[in-house]
Amino acid sequence: MDTRRYRMVVTSGLDYVRTGAAVDDQLRRWLKEAPKGYDVDAFTEGRNEIARGVTLDHDASTGTTGAYGRWRLRETAPGGIWQTVVLARQVNDGPTWVQLDVEHLPDDPDILPVPAKTPRLAKSLLTVLEARDGRADVTAMPQVVEAEDVESVIDELCDAERRLPIVLASTPYGEDFDKWLERTVDPLVRPLAGLAVLYVLTSEAGAEFNRHLEHHRVYGGGVRTYLPGVDPAWSADAQRHRVMSRRLITERPQHARRILAQLPQNLAARIPLPAELDSVPVMRTRTREGVGGSELDSLRDENHALLEILDEAGREQRVRADEIRDLKHELRRAGDNETQFIVDYDEQYQELHRAKAQVLDLQQRLAVFVAAEEAYAVSGGLGDGPSSFDEILTRIDAMPRVHFTGSRKTALELDDQAYGSSWVRMAWDALLALRDFADAAAEGEVASDFKQWCASAPSGVHVLSPRKIVRDESKSVKANTAWRKERTFPVPARVHEERKIFMGAHVRIGGGNTVAPRLHYHDAACADHGIYVGYIGPHLTNTLT
């Protein structure tokens, strides 16, 4: 997405009244000082034109459910208008939100807006507002992290309420910390004021940080951008959080600065606004005070104001249309990436399947009793794996303790949809694991559910990765009557007197997204009824589908 707007969204550490006063004061200072030097007193006198081609508008509202105050500056420039909007907003007794937007509105609808730079106003607001994002302080310049601060920083990385990325700079071994901070880190992150939480680790803090976050380290003068939703225990999550090398930072500082700013700018532009800010009505240009006293002059003034409203609406509509177009392009790219991911996943799963088969073969070769090995092979009756869901349904009949009670038609439709053959293999792997689990339960060797059994099963049996097994549906799914009915499947009367039961437990066949199928089952193995598979088919309805 080509980001052209600057957007800062933070909460203020001050109450609503003091926040509004601080915003008003910093805005007026910014407008008066060079290079702008505007006549802000003109606004106080009732005129919204504070310089030639420059207007300043203000609106506010207070009520029982919330309040807001908003300033809008519009500066006419060759080819369009530069618009700056500052909004302070509080709903009920919640925090006071502050939003700062700067964007270019071109006159020509075929011309792309000029990208906005980080305004000095953002830095001055951050200085006085005690700004925060979740648990983290948002500052204009990086905060120094000492060893005793590391645990707090890790808590901020994992904070579920965090919206902004955290940019964390490390210190090279043997480098003077103050010089590194002043000459390298400060200039590098200067464009990120209001777009990210900024930190720099001392050498001692860096060692402590990397000791705690084995998979998400940053060291040697590198800088890492941590997106919201960090999972320190998951090694695969580390790939989401970009690292910039010291070499790039020191050898090509201007290039490094542009690259580092791209991700926070993209996030700021595309992440939805908090509901408190999104609910504020659109601002319109106020009617100018009439200069003459005649009715004709008043009508001319009103007509001029209406023309301005239409003009600004047209400009904003074109900018929003550009944003929608960019989002559509991004969505299309995401769709292409998802398809490629499925193809890659299929190839990776084939390799994993071959490796698992080799491991299982070795385990069987190492079995102490040849007779036991032969018995296991006979009881499996596997031969080669099935090549279709049609064949899977046929071969389930050979599993005495696994029963399929669902719709054959729904399952067979997957043969027309599957990406490669990985869905077939994964479904078959799930059924083999359920079979071995049910057999172990019948022998009295199970003291847990299927997921826990897969995590600690003995060698020589089929298991699934516990990550693929979900014990139950979410509260939102179970509370929805229609969605709960979708997941209620037939079982014999000996299992449930109503001959049907809700099957929230399921296995993810393929990835964790809503494209991949699901296998829903009921575990009655410990009651000597076996496993009942009520559904094999596309992902059922939930909050994400």
Side-chain angles (χ1 to χ4, degrees):
M1 183 176 182
D2 186 8
T3 305
R4 303 181 185 95
R5 173 205 290 153
Y6 171 88
R7 167 167 286 174
M8 177 183 81
V9 175
V10 296
T11 56
S12 172
L14 312 177
D15 60 35
Y16 176 73
V17 174
R18 289 195 296 160
T19 296
V23 169
D24 182 278
D25 178 63
Q26 293 301 317
L27 178 65
R28 290 175 181 270
R29 290 173 181 267
W30 179 61
L31 293 174
K32 285 182 179 180
E33 294 173 356
K36 295 188 180 297
Y38 296 147
D39 180 14
V40 182
D41 294 335
F43 186 84
T44 308
E45 296 168 1
R47 293 178 286 117
N48 67 335
E49 190 169 27
I50 59 176
R52 186 171 182 177
V54 180
T55 59
L56 180 65
D57 293 288
H58 177 262
D59 68 342
S61 175
T62 57
T64 56
T65 60
Y68 74 85
R70 175 171 48 190
W71 293 93
R72 183 182 66 188
L73 174 72
R74 293 191 144 198
E75 302 168 284
T76 302
I81 290 177
W82 280 99
Q83 176 173 280
T84 302
V85 178
V86 191
L87 170 65
R89 168 71 159 160
Q90 184 185 40
V91 175
N92 297 324
D93 295 325
T96 299
W97 290 88
V98 175
Q99 176 184 348
L100 170 62
D101 283 359
V102 180
E103 61 184 325
H104 179 248
L105 306 175
D107 291 331
D108 187 342
D110 296 325
I111 299 298
L112 291 176
V114 178
K117 297 180 180 180
T118 302
R120 287 188 299 110
L121 178 60
K123 300 172 184 177
S124 57
L125 287 174
L126 291 175
T127 303
V128 299
L129 291 179
E130 301 175 15
R132 298 184 68 81
D133 175 48
R135 300 181 182 181
D137 293 331
V138 184
T139 55
M141 300 303 288
Q143 305 167 73
V144 176
V145 179
E146 304 285 356
E148 59 268 24
D149 305 321
V150 166
E151 288 191 8
S152 296
V153 172
I154 294 174
D155 288 342
E156 293 170 11
L157 287 174
C158 303
D159 181 12
E161 302 299 319
R162 176 164 66 92
R163 301 175 74 254
L164 300 181
I166 292 180
V167 176
L168 198 61
S170 62
T171 302
Y173 177 77
E175 189 84 17
D176 182 271
F177 176 77
D178 291 331
K179 289 182 179 178
W180 174 252
L181 174 61
E182 181 181 349
R183 298 178 182 178
T184 304
V185 178
D186 282 351
L188 177 68
V189 303
R190 191 168 290 128
L192 300 180
L195 300 174
V197 177
L198 308 175
Y199 287 124
V200 58
L201 296 162
T202 63
S203 297
E204 296 78 8
E208 182 72 7
F209 181 86
N210 292 328
R211 187 176 66 82
H212 284 282
L213 275 77
E214 177 184 359
H215 306 302
H216 298 72
R217 296 176 176 177
V218 58
Y219 51 84
V223 175
R224 192 159 194 172
T225 302
Y226 295 89
L227 297 175
V230 172
D231 185 349
W234 189 20
S235 59
D237 177 66
Q239 299 176 21
R240 296 194 306 122
H241 313 290
R242 299 179 182 176
V243 180
M244 178 174 286
S245 68
R246 177 191 181 186
R247 181 176 179 179
L248 176 62
I249 293 169
T250 55
E251 293 183 1
R252 304 178 63 190
Q254 297 297 327
H255 183 62
R257 183 187 302 184
R258 286 194 299 272
I259 292 177
L260 188 66
Q262 284 176 356
L263 182 57
Q265 288 169 346
N266 285 337
L267 286 175
R270 71 188 182 199
I271 190 171
L273 285 172
E276 295 88 341
L277 295 174
D278 198 39
S279 60
V280 176
V282 175
M283 186 179 195
R284 295 303 181 195
T285 302
R286 67 176 186 172
T287 305
R288 296 180 180 183
E289 298 291 337
V291 178
S294 69
E295 184 177 354
L296 179 59
D297 289 334
S298 298
L299 289 172
R300 285 173 176 167
D301 289 336
E302 291 179 8
N303 184 62
H304 188 83
L306 287 172
L307 289 174
E308 283 194 348
I309 291 173
L310 290 173
D311 183 56
E312 72 185 45
R315 283 195 178 95
E316 291 191 5
Q317 186 177 24
R318 291 194 294 271
V319 171
R320 300 295 89 80
D322 287 340
E323 291 177 350
I324 293 172
R325 181 200 60 208
D326 290 343
L327 286 171
K328 285 181 177 178
H329 287 319
E330 187 173 3
L331 183 61
R332 189 177 300 114
R333 287 196 299 270
D336 293 341
N337 290 340
E338 181 179 21
T339 302
Q340 184 60 47
F341 172 77
I342 292 171
V343 173
D344 293 343
Y345 189 90
D346 180 48
E347 294 175 352
Q348 292 169 12
Y349 192 81
Q350 290 181 36
E351 294 176 2
L352 176 62
H353 189 271
R354 286 193 292 268
K356 287 176 64 178
Q358 291 172 358
V359 171
L360 186 59
D361 181 62
L362 287 172
Q363 289 173 339
Q364 292 174 345
R365 289 173 180 273
L366 292 173
V368 178
F369 300 103
V370 175
E373 178 184 344
E374 292 175 351
Y376 178 79
V378 171
S379 67
L382 303 181
D384 295 330
S387 59
S388 67
F389 282 94
D390 186 15
E391 189 177 350
I392 281 180
L393 296 183
T394 300
R395 295 176 70 165
I396 288 180
D397 294 337
M399 299 180 179
R401 294 187 178 88
V402 178
H403 316 284
F404 180 69
T405 65
S407 167
R408 294 180 62 88
K409 180 177 181 293
T410 301
L412 293 177
E413 287 175 352
L414 294 177
D415 282 329
D416 298 326
Q417 303 174 31
Y419 288 88
S421 56
S422 63
W423 286 359
V424 173
R425 286 193 302 275
M426 282 183 257
W428 184 239
D429 284 349
L431 290 166
L432 291 177
L434 286 167
R435 182 207 62 182
D436 288 1
F437 169 71
D439 290 345
E443 297 296 328
E445 299 172 356
V446 171
S448 61
D449 64 5
F450 178 51
K451 181 170 184 173
Q452 183 59 40
W453 181 81
C454 283
S456 57
S459 61
V461 297
H462 295 85
V463 295
L464 288 178
S465 166
R467 289 182 181 274
K468 288 189 169 294
I469 305 167
V470 181
R471 288 191 170 101
D472 200 3
E473 293 286 10
S474 65
K475 292 181 180 179
S476 59
V477 168
K478 292 193 287 186
N480 186 298
T481 304
W483 297 351
R484 186 178 182 88
K485 185 177 180 180
E486 279 188 354
R487 292 159 173 81
T488 300
F489 304 107
V491 291
R494 68 177 182 274
V495 177
H496 197 280
E497 61 183 6
E498 295 184 3
R499 295 181 178 274
K500 58 183 180 180
I501 197 168
F502 174 74
M503 298 188 186
H506 59 274
V507 176
R508 300 186 179 108
I509 300 174
N513 54 42
T514 57
V515 175
R518 297 293 186 263
L519 182 154
H520 285 257
Y521 67 92
H522 172 66
D523 178 4
C526 293
D528 202 29
H529 295 317
I531 297 293
Y532 288 86
V533 177
Y535 180 83
I536 300 176
H539 196 302
L540 296 171
T541 311
N542 66 6
T543 55
L544 298 178
T545 55

Coordinates of all heavy atoms in Angstrom, one line a residue, residues 294-329:
S294 N -25.9 44.0 3.3 CA -27.1 43.7 2.5 C -27.4 42.2 2.4 O -26.6 41.4 2.7 CB -26.9 44.3 1.1 OG -25.9 43.5 0.4
E295 N -28.7 42.0 2.0 CA -29.1 40.6 1.9 C -28.4 39.9 0.7 O -28.0 38.7 0.8 CB -30.6 40.6 1.6 CG -31.2 39.1 1.5 CD -32.7 39.1 1.3 OE1 -33.3 40.2 1.4 OE2 -33.2 38.1 1.1
L296 N -28.0 40.7 -0.3 CA -27.3 40.1 -1.4 C -25.9 39.7 -1.0 O -25.4 38.6 -1.4 CB -27.2 41.2 -2.5 CG -26.4 40.8 -3.8 CD1 -27.1 39.6 -4.5 CD2 -26.3 41.9 -4.8
D297 N -25.2 40.5 -0.2 CA -23.9 40.1 0.3 C -24.0 38.8 1.1 O -23.1 37.9 1.0 CB -23.3 41.2 1.2 CG -22.9 42.4 0.3 OD1 -22.6 42.2 -0.9 OD2 -22.8 43.5 0.9
S298 N -25.0 38.7 2.0 CA -25.2 37.5 2.8 C -25.4 36.3 1.9 O -24.8 35.2 2.2 CB -26.4 37.7 3.7 OG -26.2 38.7 4.6
L299 N -26.2 36.4 0.8 CA -26.5 35.3 -0.1 C -25.2 34.9 -0.8 O -24.9 33.7 -1.0 CB -27.5 35.7 -1.1 CG -29.0 35.8 -0.5 CD1 -29.9 36.3 -1.6 CD2 -29.4 34.4 0.0
R300 N -24.4 36.0 -1.2 CA -23.1 35.6 -1.8 C -22.2 34.9 -0.9 O -21.5 33.9 -1.3 CB -22.4 36.9 -2.3 CG -23.1 37.5 -3.5 CD -22.5 38.9 -3.8 NE -23.0 39.5 -5.1 CZ -22.9 40.7 -5.4 NH1 -22.2 41.6 -4.6 NH2 -23.4 41.1 -6.6
D301 N -22.1 35.3 0.4 CA -21.3 34.6 1.3 C -21.7 33.2 1.6 O -20.9 32.3 1.6 CB -21.3 35.4 2.7 CG -20.5 36.7 2.6 OD1 -19.7 36.8 1.7 OD2 -20.8 37.6 3.4
E302 N -23.0 33.0 1.7 CA -23.6 31.6 1.9 C -23.3 30.8 0.6 O -22.9 29.6 0.8 CB -25.1 31.7 2.1 CG -25.4 32.3 3.5 CD -26.9 32.3 3.7 OE1 -27.7 31.8 2.9 OE2 -27.4 32.9 4.7
N303 N -23.4 31.4 -0.5 CA -23.2 30.6 -1.8 C -21.7 30.2 -1.9 O -21.3 29.1 -2.2 CB -23.6 31.4 -3.0 CG -23.4 30.7 -4.3 OD1 -24.0 29.7 -4.5 ND2 -22.5 31.2 -5.2
H304 N -20.8 31.1 -1.5 CA -19.4 30.9 -1.5 C -19.1 29.7 -0.5 O -18.3 28.8 -0.8 CB -18.6 32.1 -1.1 CG -17.1 32.0 -1.2 ND1 -16.5 32.2 -2.4 CD2 -16.2 31.7 -0.3 CE1 -15.2 32.0 -2.3 NE2 -15.0 31.7 -1.0
A305 N -19.7 29.7 0.7 CA -19.5 28.7 1.7 C -19.9 27.3 1.1 O -19.3 26.3 1.3 CB -20.2 29.0 3.0
L306 N -21.1 27.3 0.5 CA -21.6 26.1 -0.1 C -20.7 25.5 -1.2 O -20.4 24.3 -1.2 CB -23.0 26.3 -0.7 CG -24.1 26.5 0.3 CD1 -25.4 26.9 -0.4 CD2 -24.3 25.2 1.1
L307 N -20.1 26.4 -2.0 CA -19.2 26.0 -3.0 C -17.9 25.4 -2.4 O -17.4 24.4 -2.9 CB -18.8 27.2 -3.9 CG -19.9 27.7 -4.9 CD1 -19.5 28.9 -5.6 CD2 -20.3 26.6 -5.9
E308 N -17.5 26.0 -1.3 CA -16.3 25.5 -0.6 C -16.6 24.1 0.0 O -15.8 23.2 -0.1 CB -15.9 26.4 0.5 CG -15.1 27.6 0.1 CD -14.4 28.3 1.2 OE1 -14.7 28.0 2.4 OE2 -13.6 29.2 0.9
I309 N -17.8 23.9 0.5 CA -18.2 22.6 1.1 C -18.2 21.5 0.0 O -17.7 20.4 0.1 CB -19.6 22.7 1.7 CG1 -19.5 23.5 3.0 CG2 -20.1 21.3 2.0 CD1 -20.8 23.8 3.7
L310 N -18.8 21.9 -1.2 CA -18.8 20.9 -2.3 C -17.4 20.6 -2.8 O -17.1 19.5 -3.1 CB -19.6 21.5 -3.5 CG -21.2 21.6 -3.2 CD1 -21.8 22.3 -4.4 CD2 -21.7 20.2 -3.1
D311 N -16.5 21.7 -2.9 CA -15.2 21.5 -3.3 C -14.4 20.6 -2.4 O -13.7 19.6 -2.8 CB -14.5 22.8 -3.4 CG -13.1 22.7 -4.0 OD1 -12.9 22.1 -5.1 OD2 -12.1 23.2 -3.4
E312 N -14.5 20.8 -1.1 CA -13.8 20.0 -0.1 C -14.3 18.5 -0.1 O -13.6 17.6 0.1 CB -13.8 20.6 1.3 CG -15.1 20.5 2.0 CD -15.1 21.3 3.3 OE1 -14.6 22.4 3.4 OE2 -15.7 20.7 4.3
A313 N -15.6 18.4 -0.3 CA -16.2 17.1 -0.3 C -15.7 16.3 -1.5 O -15.4 15.1 -1.4 CB -17.7 17.1 -0.4
G314 N -15.5 17.0 -2.7 CA -15.0 16.3 -3.8 C -13.6 15.9 -3.7 O -13.2 14.8 -4.0
R315 N -12.8 16.8 -3.0 CA -11.4 16.4 -2.8 C -11.3 15.2 -1.9 O -10.5 14.3 -2.1 CB -10.6 17.6 -2.2 CG -10.2 18.7 -3.2 CD -9.2 19.6 -2.5 NE -8.8 20.6 -3.4 CZ -9.3 21.9 -3.5 NH1 -10.3 22.2 -2.7 NH2 -8.9 22.8 -4.4
E316 N -12.0 15.2 -0.8 CA -11.9 14.1 0.2 C -12.4 12.8 -0.4 O -11.9 11.8 -0.2 CB -12.7 14.5 1.5 CG -12.1 15.6 2.3 CD -12.7 15.8 3.6 OE1 -13.6 14.9 4.0 OE2 -12.4 16.7 4.3
Q317 N -13.5 12.9 -1.3 CA -14.0 11.7 -1.9 C -12.9 11.1 -2.8 O -12.8 9.9 -2.9 CB -15.2 12.1 -2.7 CG -15.9 10.9 -3.3 CD -17.2 11.2 -4.0 OE1 -17.4 12.4 -4.5 NE2 -18.1 10.3 -4.1
R318 N -12.2 12.0 -3.5 CA -11.1 11.4 -4.4 C -10.0 10.8 -3.6 O -9.5 9.7 -4.0 CB -10.6 12.5 -5.3 CG -11.5 13.1 -6.3 CD -10.8 13.9 -7.4 NE -10.3 15.1 -6.8 CZ -11.0 16.3 -6.8 NH1 -12.2 16.3 -7.2 NH2 -10.4 17.4 -6.3
V319 N -9.7 11.4 -2.5 CA -8.6 10.8 -1.6 C -9.1 9.4 -1.1 O -8.3 8.4 -1.1 CB -8.2 11.7 -0.5 CG1 -7.3 11.0 0.5 CG2 -7.5 13.0 -1.1
R320 N -10.3 9.4 -0.6 CA -10.9 8.1 -0.1 C -10.9 7.1 -1.2 O -10.7 5.9 -0.9 CB -12.2 8.3 0.6 CG -12.3 9.3 1.7 CD -11.6 8.9 2.9 NE -10.2 9.3 2.9 CZ -9.8 10.6 3.3 NH1 -10.6 11.5 3.6 NH2 -8.5 10.9 3.2
A321 N -11.3 7.5 -2.4 CA -11.3 6.6 -3.5 C -9.9 6.0 -3.8 O -9.8 4.8 -4.1 CB -11.9 7.2 -4.7
D322 N -8.9 6.8 -3.7 CA -7.5 6.3 -3.9 C -7.2 5.3 -2.8 O -6.6 4.3 -3.0 CB -6.5 7.5 -3.8 CG -6.6 8.4 -5.1 OD1 -7.1 7.9 -6.1 OD2 -6.1 9.5 -5.0
E323 N -7.6 5.6 -1.5 CA -7.3 4.7 -0.4 C -8.0 3.3 -0.7 O -7.5 2.3 -0.5 CB -7.8 5.3 0.9 CG -7.0 6.5 1.3 CD -7.5 7.1 2.6 OE1 -8.6 6.7 3.0 OE2 -6.8 8.0 3.2
I324 N -9.3 3.4 -1.1 CA -10.0 2.1 -1.4 C -9.4 1.4 -2.5 O -9.2 0.1 -2.5 CB -11.5 2.5 -1.8 CG1 -12.2 3.0 -0.5 CG2 -12.2 1.2 -2.3 CD1 -13.6 3.5 -0.8
R325 N -8.9 2.1 -3.6 CA -8.2 1.4 -4.6 C -6.9 0.7 -4.1 O -6.6 -0.4 -4.5 CB -7.8 2.4 -5.7 CG -7.1 1.8 -6.9 CD -6.4 2.9 -7.7 NE -5.4 3.5 -6.9 CZ -5.0 4.8 -7.0 NH1 -5.5 5.6 -8.0 NH2 -4.1 5.3 -6.2
D326 N -6.2 1.4 -3.3 CA -5.0 0.8 -2.7 C -5.3 -0.4 -1.9 O -4.6 -1.4 -2.0 CB -4.2 1.9 -1.9 CG -3.6 3.0 -2.7 OD1 -3.5 2.8 -4.0 OD2 -3.2 4.0 -2.2
L327 N -6.3 -0.3 -1.1 CA -6.7 -1.5 -0.3 C -7.1 -2.6 -1.1 O -6.9 -3.8 -0.8 CB -7.8 -1.1 0.7 CG -7.4 -0.1 1.8 CD1 -8.7 0.4 2.6 CD2 -6.5 -0.9 2.8
K328 N -7.8 -2.4 -2.2 CA -8.2 -3.5 -3.1 C -7.0 -4.1 -3.7 O -6.9 -5.4 -3.8 CB -9.1 -2.9 -4.3 CG -10.5 -2.6 -3.8 CD -11.4 -2.1 -5.0 CE -12.8 -1.9 -4.5 NZ -13.6 -1.3 -5.6
H329 N -6.0 -3.3 -4.1 CA -4.7 -3.9 -4.7 C -4.1 -4.7 -3.6 O -3.6 -5.8 -3.9 CB -3.8 -2.8 -5.1 CG -4.2 -2.1 -6.4 ND1 -4.7 -2.8 -7.5 CD2 -4.2 -0.8 -6.8 CE1 -5.0 -2.0 -8.5 NE2 -4.7 -0.8 -8.1

